[in-house]
Amino acid sequence: SGGFVRSIELAENNLIGEIVPELGMLPFLQIIDLSSNCIFGTIPSSIGQLSYLTNMDLKDNGLSGYIPMELFNLTNLVKLDLSYNVNYDGNCTRFDGTEKEIPNSLGLEGMILDSNIGRLEYLQDIDLTDNYFSGSISPEIGKLKQLGRMVVDNNVFKSTVPDEITQLINLKELWLSMNYF
């Protein structure tokens, strides 16, 4: 009687394709882990309909394009990992050693750490390594009181790191290298 999908954990499964917009039709989804596959294309805006989502791990794929603003509707998010989505050569090596051609990707882009980041107040872990995220880190980062790990190296963030980062009393790990601070 009334089953609900609460978790999709398909890491390292040789999946090839795009994230379908219908993913947003799983309103009780709490965990999505599609890491280390051959997922390409953009993150659909329908992701913002997943109001119960706490963990999103899309690292090590070939995702590209701008992060949809609807991502900031995920106010229960605890972990967000979008790292390593650069695919320069258009090939995806599968676990059996064969290669599958997928679209080239320079990674995900946009100003993910702008003023909207403060809406994700339960966020404890964010990893954006090796993409093409830009802009500056908003002072709103200071609202993420539970943030313990922030890894944003190898992007194109600019400006200075805001003083509000010192308000993150639970921050144990901070990686900012290979940006333009």
Side-chain angles (χ1 to χ4, degrees), residues 47-113:
I47 203 95
Q49 298 171 24
L50 304 175
S51 60
Y52 289 98
L53 198 66
T54 59
N55 293 292
M56 181 164 50
D57 190 342
L58 302 176
K59 75 174 170 273
D60 194 22
N61 280 292
L63 293 168
S64 60
Y66 288 91
I67 295 296
M69 291 303 295
E70 290 82 358
L71 177 89
F72 299 106
N73 294 339
L74 304 177
T75 56
N76 289 309
L77 209 55
V78 173
K79 178 183 179 186
L80 176 62
D81 193 338
L82 302 174
S83 61
Y84 301 105
N85 270 291
V86 173
N87 181 346
Y88 296 113
D89 63 6
N91 288 314
C92 181
T93 304
R94 298 173 61 163
F95 293 103
D96 63 3
T98 62
E99 289 193 356
K100 174 71 177 168
E101 189 172 325
I102 64 172
N104 291 359
S105 169
L106 294 177
L108 294 163
E109 57 187 305
M111 297 186 288
I112 192 167
L113 296 179

Side-chain angles (χ1 to χ4, degrees), residues 120-162:
L120 305 180
E121 63 183 274
Y122 296 111
L123 200 60
Q124 295 175 15
D125 186 332
I126 185 169
D127 193 337
L128 306 174
T129 302
D130 204 11
N131 279 288
Y132 204 69
F133 291 116
S134 60
S136 59
I137 299 176
S138 169
E140 294 291 306
I141 198 80
K143 291 183 177 179
L144 306 182
K145 301 298 184 195
Q146 298 183 42
L147 192 64
R149 181 174 179 267
M150 181 174 159
V151 183
V152 299
D153 52 318
N154 203 19
N155 281 282
V156 288
F157 291 111
K158 297 178 182 174
S159 191
T160 59
V161 178

